[in-house]
């Protein structure tokens, strides 16, 4: 691995890649470079960073580094999905991207507390925009009452650009964007086993109760690397009982692997889960009672574990372990069909995986391998073809043939 302080190594290696014009040898080298965690050159994977600004897009595409700030993916316009007669909706009959800013704001504000709607929160950024668009389309396509779904997007950068892109792709979508201040969490993040897990926006789910309107009492949180193949209202109707959140649990998983030896060897920390049946759950699909969350001050409880981790390094996997520390064993179990997770493989190689046994209502490409990247590289896994029908991406050119 190159030293983090070396500026020469990256430039030299990148020059070699360009000179061989992305031959098969160059592709191997590109993957090696990506695995070298060259954070000393890349500022949040931005193509405008000093060491990357002069490199061609075709090379940066190969490295899975998001396109420059001036460019967002181009998508087909999604069809309009309408409610059936059995649906109840209190929102306007249609949303139009041609509304004036004042009209649009009034309509959005009037429906944020719509108790008849299904409310979904997701994070929104350029790197995962293609996955998010596919996820939105899948939700609308399979919903019995698609006009009764309201999306709440947490975004930290390029808010106006991303909003315009969503309006152009989904002219009738009911949604609002909320700014997430990365400074809230930056000093609480420690490097984990995969760079994508270290991005501040990945932690926005811990702050939903503070970011979303106080009138909103329940939310479904979804990651941006999944598709829903069932009516999302079924998940919305989950009964939480006395619990703060509901999610599919996986009690057969090796729970101890999510925490370090220093955690389990500590006489106090090792008793954290004492008295509760702690099981692994994936935080990419959750139904959350925001009212109970606020009353229990759970954001502060998660932050306490993050701050301890900065001092002692007690876990490895980004934003997941703090949720496990606070909620494992205190989760309302949801049927496994609502999170067929791990389709992106592990966090190191992202190899192909099969579906878990049983029916599927939601397919989740958690892990390193993302279907849109593998499809573009013509290295798709069989299950990636289940994601492809929801892909609205329109490539400007086929860089694979460049």
């Amino acid at each position: 691995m190159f030293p983090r302080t070396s500026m020469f190594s990256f430039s030299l290696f990148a020059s070699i890649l360009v000179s061989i014009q992305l031959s098969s040898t160059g592709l191997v080298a590109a993957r090696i470079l990506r695995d070298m965690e060259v954070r000393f050159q890349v500022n949040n994977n931005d193509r405008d960073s000093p060491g990357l600004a002069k490199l061609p897009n075709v090379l940066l595409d190969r490295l899975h580094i998001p396109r420059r700030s001036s460019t967002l993916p181009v998508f087909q316009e999604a069809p309009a999905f309408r409610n059936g007669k059995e649906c109840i909706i209190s929102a306007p009959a249609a949303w139009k991207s041609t509304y004036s800013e004042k009209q649009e704001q009034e309509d959005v504000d009037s429906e944020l507390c719509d108790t008849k709607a299904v409310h979904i929160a997701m994070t929104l950024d350029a790197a995962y925009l293609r996955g998010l668009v596919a996820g939105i389309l899948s939700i609308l396509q399979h919903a019995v009452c698609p006009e009764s779904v309201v999306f709440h997007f947490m975004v930290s950068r390029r808010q106006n650009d991303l909003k315009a892109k969503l309006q152009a792709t989904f002219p009738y979508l009911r949604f609002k964007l909320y700014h997430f201040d990365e400074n809230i969490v930056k000093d609480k993040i420690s490097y984990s086993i995969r760079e994508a897990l270290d991005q501040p926006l990945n932690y926005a789910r811990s702050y939903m109760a503070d970011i979303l309107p106080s009138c909103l009492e329940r939310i479904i949180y979804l990651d941006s690397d999944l598709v829903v193949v069932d009516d999302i209202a079924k998940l919305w109707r989950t009964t939480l009982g006395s619990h703060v959140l509901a999610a599919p649990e996986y009690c057969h998983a090796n729970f101890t692997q999510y925490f370090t030896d220093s955690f389990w060897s500590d006489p106090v920390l090792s008793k954290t889960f004492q008295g509760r049946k702690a099981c692994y759950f994936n935080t990419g699909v959750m139904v959350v009672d925001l009212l109970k969350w606020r009353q229990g001050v759970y954001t502060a409880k998660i932050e306490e574990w993050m701050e301890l981790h900065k001092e002692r390094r007690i876990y490895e996997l980004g934003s997941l372990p703090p949720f496990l520390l606070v909620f494992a064993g205190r989760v309302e179990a949801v049927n496994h069909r609502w999170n067929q997770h791990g389709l992106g493989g592990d966090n190191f190689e992202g190899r192909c995986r099969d579906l878990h046994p049983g029916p599927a209502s939601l397919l989740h490409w958690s892990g390193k391998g993302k279907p849109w990247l593998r499809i573009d590289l013509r290295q798709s896994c069989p299950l990636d073809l289940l994601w492809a029908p929801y892909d609205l991406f329109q490539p400007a050119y086929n860089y694979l043939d460049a």
Side-chain angles (χ1 to χ4, degrees), residues 233-249:
K234 295 178 182 177
L235 181 60
W236 176 255
R237 291 193 290 266
T238 299
T239 301
L240 273 71
S242 61
H243 296 106
V244 178
L245 66 82
E249 290 185 300

Side-chain angles (χ1 to χ4, degrees), residues 13 17 20 24-34 36 63:
F13 198 75
L17 290 182
I20 58 181
S24 59
T25 304
L27 294 181
V28 173
R31 295 190 188 100
I32 294 173
L33 175 59
R34 182 62 178 171
M36 286 176 176
L63 299 178

Side-chain angles (χ1 to χ4, degrees), residues 357-373:
S361 294
L362 184 150
L363 306 175
H364 187 187
W365 278 261
S366 57
K368 185 176 181 179
K370 303 307 175 187
W372 57 93
L373 298 178

Side-chain angles (χ1 to χ4, degrees), residues 57-78:
N57 281 333
V58 60
L59 170 59
L60 300 176
D61 285 336
R62 294 291 194 181
L63 299 178
H64 298 169
I65 296 172
R67 286 182 172 269
R68 292 187 175 89
S69 58
S70 61
T71 306
L72 285 175
V74 177
F75 300 102
Q76 305 173 48
E77 181 180 314

Side-chain angles (χ1 to χ4, degrees), residues 16 46 60 308 385:
I16 294 173
D46 189 347
L60 300 176
L308 178 62
L385 300 181

Side-chain angles (χ1 to χ4, degrees), residues 195-399:
E195 186 178 354
L197 302 176
D198 302 336
Q199 302 307 311
L201 193 60
N202 192 42
Y203 291 80
R205 71 195 78 192
S206 302
Y207 296 87
M208 287 189 298
D210 302 323
I211 297 172
L212 301 180
S214 59
C215 61
L216 199 58
E217 298 184 359
R218 170 183 284 226
I219 200 77
I220 295 175
Y221 175 82
L222 298 176
D223 274 349
S224 301
D225 54 358
L226 54 78
V227 294
V228 176
V229 293
D230 201 346
D231 183 9
I232 194 66
K234 295 178 182 177
L235 181 60
W236 176 255
R237 291 193 290 266
T238 299
T239 301
L240 273 71
S242 61
H243 296 106
V244 178
L245 66 82
E249 290 185 300
Y250 303 90
C251 296
H252 63 278
N254 181 8
F255 191 79
T256 60
Q257 69 178 333
Y258 296 101
F259 304 96
T260 62
D261 291 340
S262 63
F263 174 88
W264 293 114
S265 62
D266 186 283
V268 176
L269 295 178
S270 61
K271 296 179 181 178
T272 299
F273 301 103
Q274 199 169 56
R276 46 178 166 146
K277 185 182 178 182
C279 297
Y280 163 77
F281 66 95
N282 182 280
T283 56
V285 179
M286 300 183 290
V287 183
V288 180
D289 186 320
L290 295 174
L291 188 61
K292 288 191 178 76
W293 184 292
R294 296 176 183 122
Q295 292 171 344
V297 198
Y298 283 99
T299 296
K301 294 177 181 179
I302 287 176
E303 287 184 325
E304 288 175 3
W305 283 111
M306 293 173 65
E307 290 166 358
L308 178 62
H309 174 61
K310 286 284 288 188
E311 299 174 5
R312 308 256 320 253
R313 193 157 189 88
I314 57 176
Y315 54 77
E316 299 289 352
L317 273 173
S319 63
L320 168 65
F323 268 83
L324 297 179
L325 289 162
V326 174
F327 293 110
R330 300 164 179 163
V331 172
E332 181 67 29
V334 174
N335 192 293
H336 288 179
R337 69 185 300 151
W338 282 103
N339 196 352
Q340 285 269 355
H341 69 291
L343 304 186
D346 60 25
N347 284 302
F348 298 98
E349 298 182 5
R351 293 180 178 176
C352 299
R353 286 187 176 175
D354 296 326
L355 287 174
H356 304 292
S361 294
L362 184 150
L363 306 175
H364 187 187
W365 278 261
S366 57
K368 185 176 181 179
K370 303 307 175 187
W372 57 93
L373 298 178
R374 296 193 296 212
I375 289 172
D376 283 355
L377 292 173
R378 295 178 181 168
Q379 297 173 356
S380 60
C381 296
L383 291 179
D384 294 345
L385 300 181
L386 298 178
W387 178 90
Y390 304 100
D391 186 16
L392 294 176
F393 176 60
Q394 287 186 314
Y397 67 95
N398 188 349
Y399 63 78

Side-chain angles (χ1 to χ4, degrees), residues 69-230:
S69 58
S70 61
T71 306
L72 285 175
V74 177
F75 300 102
Q76 305 173 48
E77 181 180 314
F81 296 93
R82 301 302 187 188
N83 282 358
K85 293 182 179 179
E86 70 275 21
C87 300
I88 301 175
I89 185 170
S90 58
W95 270 54
K96 297 182 180 179
S97 59
T98 55
Y99 276 7
S100 69
E101 184 176 344
K102 181 179 179 181
Q103 287 174 314
E104 181 181 330
Q105 188 60 48
E106 289 174 352
D107 284 341
V108 171
D109 291 343
S110 69
E111 67 177 22
L112 291 179
C113 304
D114 184 2
T115 58
K116 300 180 181 66
V118 173
H119 294 271
I120 298 173
M122 304 177 78
T123 57
L124 173 62
D125 68 345
Y128 277 74
L129 181 58
R130 188 169 166 188
L132 176 122
V133 166
I136 295 171
L137 178 63
S138 71
I139 292 168
L140 298 176
Q141 184 170 319
H142 293 282
V144 174
C145 303
E147 290 181 281
S148 300
V149 180
V150 179
F151 289 87
H152 304 261
F153 299 112
M154 296 175 286
V155 58
S156 59
R157 304 180 185 184
R158 305 186 62 184
Q159 183 165 329
N160 292 335
D161 290 344
L162 291 167
K163 180 179 180 180
K165 183 63 65 174
L166 285 179
Q167 288 176 324
T169 308
F170 298 99
Y172 303 96
L173 191 68
R174 300 170 64 187
F175 75 94
K176 184 173 181 179
L177 269 58
Y178 306 82
H179 178 69
F180 174 66
D181 184 0
E182 294 184 352
N183 293 319
I184 295 175
V185 73
K186 269 186 175 179
D187 63 346
K188 300 179 180 67
I189 298 176
S190 299
Y191 286 134
S192 65
I193 61 175
R194 186 159 62 90
E195 186 178 354
L197 302 176
D198 302 336
Q199 302 307 311
L201 193 60
N202 192 42
Y203 291 80
R205 71 195 78 192
S206 302
Y207 296 87
M208 287 189 298
D210 302 323
I211 297 172
L212 301 180
S214 59
C215 61
L216 199 58
E217 298 184 359
R218 170 183 284 226
I219 200 77
I220 295 175
Y221 175 82
L222 298 176
D223 274 349
S224 301
D225 54 358
L226 54 78
V227 294
V228 176
V229 293
D230 201 346

